[in-house]
Amino acid sequence: MHNKLRLYLDLIRWNRPAGWLLLLWPTLSALWLAAGGFPGWHLIVVFTLGTILMRSAGCCVNDVADREFDKHVKRTAQRPVTSGRISSREALAVGAVLALAAFGLVLTTNAVTIAWSFAALAVALVYPYAKRYVAMPQAVLGVAFSFGIPMAYAAVRADIPWQAWALLVGNLFWVLAYDTEYAMVDRDDDLRIGIKTSAITLGRWDVMAVMVFYGVYLLAWTLLVVPGLKAPWGWWLGVLVAMAQVVWHGTLIKDRSREGCFKAFRLNHWVGFSVFAGTVLGTGLS
């Protein structure tokens, strides 16, 4: 039983929280923006736990979808499904239980949020198969990893204004930045097995593109967020810290080494945290 639990925890990447933190920070930022300040503990708990559960469920589906590809990639060859220690059916069952638990949390919000949760689930299920057909599947992941933003607005306001969708598009560029860094780690393996990724599609323009993606993300959010803030200085402080990290990431990936690219990807949640901190300060801590 103990060994099975360890396999399940490995399946959902429990020892690698960076994955769900990348989802969490823009979602919490959207909660604060939608509420114009502290959104209340109920919504914070719902969206934090929901983010962890849905990211974990996504790992289950992703590992089943990629099990044949993952055998040929050194970094992923020992994943529980790929190595045969957990069956595909069992992994999908675990994912379904986690997704149902997340839906249970959504049921404590309102009808608009519940309705949009089905769209969020659909995008999450489509992404693992996108890399077979889409030249930049990271864009599909960007939608999936940004869907917490309109969901947060729906939970606070019972509707989704255009700004929420614009913030989703802006956040998509951040996902493009960090997931291209991630794809750069596996580029040689992915070329050999025929997977499509942004790192392959962008070719020698990959590093420049990542920096542009970061810039579009921070610029878009600044233009959308600053006009409605009580204390814009807080936002600028957070963005300056985020920009300093982006410059550092540029130095990590410029040589395209696996270690540098993976380190840049792994530390991206601090960029998201900086933007979240700027959002909290910018709303006046009220």
Side-chain angles (χ1 to χ4, degrees), residues 154-169:
V156 172
R157 300 185 176 191
D159 75 328
I160 304 177
W162 70 266
Q163 288 93 339
W165 297 113
L167 287 168
L168 180 151
V169 173

Side-chain angles (χ1 to χ4, degrees), residues 45-236:
V45 170
V46 165
F47 278 88
T48 300
L49 292 180
T51 294
I52 295 170
L53 287 166
M54 282 308 297
R55 187 260 181 170
S56 300
C59 289
C60 298
V61 176
N62 187 76
D63 283 11
V64 171
D66 286 355
R67 63 191 183 280
E68 296 303 322
F69 292 127
D70 285 347
K71 290 177 182 177
H72 306 285
V73 180
K74 184 178 180 181
R75 186 178 53 80
T76 58
Q78 292 307 309
R79 285 178 175 174
V81 176
T82 310
S83 61
R85 290 173 294 162
I86 291 180
S87 69
S88 295
R89 182 178 294 182
E90 192 175 1
L92 291 175
V94 172
V97 169
L98 294 169
L100 282 171
F103 185 61
L105 291 168
V106 173
L107 290 176
T108 69
T109 58
N110 57 42
V112 179
T113 312
I114 293 167
W116 278 103
S117 71
F118 291 101
L121 177 63
V123 177
L125 292 174
V126 164
Y127 165 68
Y129 299 94
K131 64 192 75 172
R132 292 161 173 77
Y133 310 106
V134 181
M136 290 184 64
Q138 282 69 22
V140 181
L141 181 71
V143 177
F145 266 40
S146 305
F147 221 89
I149 295 167
M151 293 277 289
Y153 272 82
V156 172
R157 300 185 176 191
D159 75 328
I160 304 177
W162 70 266
Q163 288 93 339
W165 297 113
L167 287 168
L168 180 151
V169 173
N171 196 73
L172 187 154
F173 281 92
W174 180 39
V175 181
L176 280 172
Y178 66 66
D179 210 52
T180 298
E181 291 172 343
Y182 194 44
M184 289 165 71
V185 177
D186 295 331
R187 178 169 16 213
D188 294 342
D189 291 324
D190 291 340
L191 277 167
R192 184 164 41 82
I193 60 183
I195 283 181
K196 300 175 190 296
T197 73
S198 56
I200 292 169
T201 300
L202 291 166
R204 64 192 181 94
W205 301 103
D206 52 358
V207 174
M208 183 184 294
V210 167
M211 302 307 287
V212 170
F213 293 153
Y214 275 127
V216 172
Y217 157 59
L218 292 174
L219 178 61
W221 270 59
T222 297
L223 293 174
L224 290 161
V225 167
V226 167
L229 293 179
K230 302 186 188 84
W233 65 266
W235 172 262
W236 290 112

